[in-house]
């Protein structure tokens, strides 16, 4: 975690953990890091924590902002460097940006209700039988629950209303029966190929 440690004796080794974004240092009461010292301006400088680095920018202070003794307007801070605002010195103790992404646990659905014929009841529509299951969140769904999305020239997508993952039919996908016209076309093609001597 990125942090600054005061080196000036009157601040008693005070440590400041930097927040992501802008951290204002100064004597003003609304500063993120309050530095009550006569050589520090009300809004002295800003320390920006982001993009994998720590940057300091002087805000037009009277007595200046310094990094390792050199006056700066904008500078990147590295661990071990000394940042001086007015006559107050701070050690750049760490510049690591710690970002944590929270994990969300989906609640476990209750066990399904099984009918006498072995069919599963849809948990959302008690009068309907579940025909689909989401492989991601394990939700049982009937045809009413499933969000259907047809793409132009593409096949119909059936999506889970809870997590938007494609759902699978219970018992596997049913093979679509050929229409009478399609069977007639296949039969005609087979007869023509036989007559022409093609197998």
């Amino acid at each position: 975690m990125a942090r600054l440690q005061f080196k000036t004796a009157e601040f008693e080794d005070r440590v400041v953990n930097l927040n992501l974004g802008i951290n204002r240092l100064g004597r003003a009461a609304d500063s993120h890091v309050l530095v009550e010292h006569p050589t520090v301006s009300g809004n002295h400088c800003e320390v920006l924590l982001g993009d994998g680095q720590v940057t300091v920018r002087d805000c037009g202070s009277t007595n200046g902002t310094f990094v390792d003794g050199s006056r700066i307007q904008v500078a990147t801070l590295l661990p071990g460097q000394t940042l001086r605002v007015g006559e107050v010195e701070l050690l750049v103790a760490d510049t690591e940006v710690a970002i944590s992404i929270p994990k969300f646990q989906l609640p476990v659905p209750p066990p399904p209700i099984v009918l006498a014929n072995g069919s599963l009841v849809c948990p959302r529509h008690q009068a309907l039988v579940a025909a689909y299951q989401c492989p991601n969140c394990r939700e049982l769904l009937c045809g009413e629950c499933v969000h259907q999305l047809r793409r132009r020239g593409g096949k119909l997508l059936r999506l889970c209303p809870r997590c938007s993952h494609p759902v699978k039919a219970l018992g596997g996908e049913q093979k679509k029966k050929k229409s009478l016209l399609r069977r007639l076309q296949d039969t005609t093609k087979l007869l023509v190929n036989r007559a022409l001597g093609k197998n």
Side-chain angles (χ1 to χ4, degrees), residues 127-187:
L128 298 174
V129 173
Y132 302 94
Q133 185 174 27
C134 176
N136 183 55
C137 68
R138 312 301 296 164
E139 181 90 6
L140 289 170
L141 307 159
C142 66
E144 294 290 318
C145 296
V146 174
H147 291 172
Q148 297 189 9
L149 178 68
R150 186 175 295 279
R151 297 179 293 179
R152 186 180 296 180
K155 65 178 187 175
L156 180 71
L157 288 177
R158 292 182 175 90
L159 305 173
C160 175
R162 188 173 178 194
C163 67
S164 298
H165 276 73
V167 297
K168 294 196 177 200
L170 291 174
E173 289 290 334
Q174 296 291 324
K175 194 168 184 180
K176 198 172 181 181
K177 289 185 179 178
K178 290 184 182 178
S179 67
L180 179 62
L181 180 62
R182 183 69 188 166
R183 283 189 287 170
L184 186 60
Q185 287 174 336
D186 289 348
T187 305

Side-chain angles (χ1 to χ4, degrees), residues 82-103:
T82 300
L83 170 66
R84 182 161 58 86
V85 290
E87 292 180 11
V88 178
E89 288 190 340
L90 300 99
L91 172 69
V92 181
D94 194 357
T95 59
E96 187 175 318
V97 181
I99 299 174
S100 62
I101 300 170
K103 289 188 177 182

